[in-house]
């Protein structure tokens, strides 16, 4: 059905095809329709697969957080339309919650008042180390957002919250309360460690320095001085042993 023109003068060619039989014409029309519909069908299959995967993940999360038997009872009593609309939102909300970078705000406050935290160096070394003001302005305060890391962390969070709740809050009878407490504890512990780690990386970067260049002659002189110092230290060590 495409038009073909002469590359020199631009005149369109008049092309005549032989007549097709009814079967060949039918197959040609079917092939043309499938070629146009296939991209939309593939997109629909991908969207449907993602939707039902989100529904399944939401149901598993409900049973994991509330409890297997109680979760099944809750979903059996609930409206099917509510489940079809509510369960897929669970992984979406977890992913959006994972994208909240509250650690960056804590880091900004930390770096602003780092000079007032000198007394805490006894408990946590390096917590009150002063930050060079000029380098602090040029340093990026937040790292790049990794989509794969954010998605994996969000989807694994209910399982980790359940495990932490079982380890730290065994006396709590309610599975929902235990999981919620475990999730809060995990977020706090992970956030504190992440903030401390990023702050130490920040201090390492802003306090780095470049050593002066040494010629070969200077290096040889330094080596000779080191060799001259070593025998003296050995003699002093032997004298100490004798005494």
């Amino acid at each position: 059905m495409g038009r073909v023109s002469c590359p020199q003068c631009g005149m369109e060619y008049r092309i005549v095809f032989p007549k097709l039989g009814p079967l060949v014409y039918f197959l040609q029309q079917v092939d043309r329709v499938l070629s146009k519909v296939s991209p939309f069908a593939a997109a629909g299959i991908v969207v449907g697969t993602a939707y039902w995967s989100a529904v399944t993940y939401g149901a598993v999360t409900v049973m994991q957080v509330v409890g297997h038997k109680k979760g099944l009872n809750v979903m059996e009593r609930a409206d099917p339309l509510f489940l079809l609309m509510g369960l897929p939102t669970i992984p979406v909300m977890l992913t959006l919650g994972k994208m909240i970078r509250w650690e960056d705000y804590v880091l900004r406050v930390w770096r602003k008042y780092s000079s007032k935290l000198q007394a805490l160096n006894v408990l946590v070394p390096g917590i009150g180390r002063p930050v060079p003001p000029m380098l602090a302005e040029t340093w990026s305060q937040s790292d790049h957002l990794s989509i794969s890391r954010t998605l994996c962390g969000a989807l694994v969070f209910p399982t980790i919250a359940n495990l932490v709740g079982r380890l730290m809050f065994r006396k709590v009878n309610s599975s929902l309360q235990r999981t919620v407490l475990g999730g809060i504890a995990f977020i706090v512990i992970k956030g504190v460690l992440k903030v401390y780690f990023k702050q130490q990386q920040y201090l390492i970067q802003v306090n780095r320095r470049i050593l002066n260049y040494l010629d070969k002659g200077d290096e040889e002189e330094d080596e000779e001085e080191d060799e001259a110092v070593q025998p003296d230290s050995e003699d002093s060590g032997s004298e100490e042993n004798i005494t």
Side-chain angles (χ1 to χ4, degrees):
M1 300 298 294
R3 296 181 179 182
V4 182
S5 302
C6 176
Q8 301 297 329
C9 63
M11 179 63 68
E12 182 180 350
Y13 293 136
R14 300 179 60 187
I15 302 174
V16 179
F17 293 95
K19 294 183 179 181
L20 303 177
L23 180 59
V24 178
Y25 178 78
F26 174 76
L27 294 176
Q28 185 179 9
Q29 297 299 323
V30 171
D31 181 70
R32 187 176 301 170
V33 171
L34 291 177
S35 298
K36 294 181 179 180
V37 175
S38 294
F40 300 97
I45 292 173
V46 172
V47 172
T49 302
Y51 171 77
W52 287 110
S53 299
V55 171
T56 304
Y57 176 84
V60 173
T61 303
V62 170
M63 290 187 294
Q64 189 175 25
V65 172
V66 181
H68 184 74
K69 295 182 179 180
K70 191 174 182 179
L72 287 177
N73 293 331
V74 170
M75 288 187 289
E76 288 177 356
R77 296 176 182 177
D79 187 8
L81 182 61
F82 175 76
L83 293 177
L84 294 177
M85 296 296 294
L87 292 178
T89 60
I90 293 177
V92 176
M93 297 302 295
L94 289 174
T95 305
L96 294 178
K98 182 67 176 177
M99 295 175 66
I100 298 176
R101 312 295 294 276
W102 62 272
E103 298 94 345
D104 294 337
Y105 176 76
V106 176
L107 279 174
R108 287 195 295 268
V109 175
W110 188 342
R111 291 165 187 172
K112 184 177 180 180
Y113 300 100
S114 60
S115 59
K116 300 179 181 180
L117 300 177
Q118 299 292 336
L120 297 179
N121 278 326
V122 180
L123 299 177
V124 183
I127 191 173
R129 189 184 304 174
V131 179
M134 297 300 295
L135 295 176
E137 296 178 358
T138 59
W139 178 260
S140 177
Q141 294 186 353
S142 61
D143 53 355
H144 298 286
L145 181 65
S146 176
I147 298 177
S148 59
R149 186 171 180 175
T150 302
L151 183 61
C152 292
L155 297 180
V156 177
F157 175 71
T159 303
I160 297 177
N162 192 6
L163 294 176
V164 174
R166 291 182 179 181
L167 292 176
M168 300 181 63
F169 305 98
R170 298 178 180 178
K171 296 182 180 180
V172 180
N173 296 326
S174 176
S175 178
L176 177 60
Q177 296 179 359
R178 186 169 57 245
T179 304
V180 172
L181 293 175
I184 295 174
F186 173 74
I187 291 175
V188 172
I189 296 173
K190 178 178 175 293
V192 170
L193 294 177
K194 186 175 181 179
V195 168
Y196 178 75
F197 175 68
K198 292 176 70 174
Q199 177 67 6
Q200 296 306 312
Q201 284 186 324
Y202 170 78
L203 292 175
I204 291 173
Q205 293 293 331
V206 299
N207 289 288
R208 68 188 185 273
R209 60 191 181 89
I210 300 175
L211 299 178
N212 294 329
Y213 174 75
L214 296 177
D215 294 331
K216 293 183 178 180
D218 297 336
E219 293 179 356
E220 292 177 355
E221 291 178 359
D222 293 339
E223 291 178 356
E224 292 177 356
E225 292 178 358
D226 294 338
E227 292 177 356
V229 171
Q230 288 179 358
D232 297 337
S233 61
E234 292 178 356
D235 294 340
S236 60
S238 60
E239 291 177 358
E240 291 178 358
N241 294 330
I242 292 173
T243 55

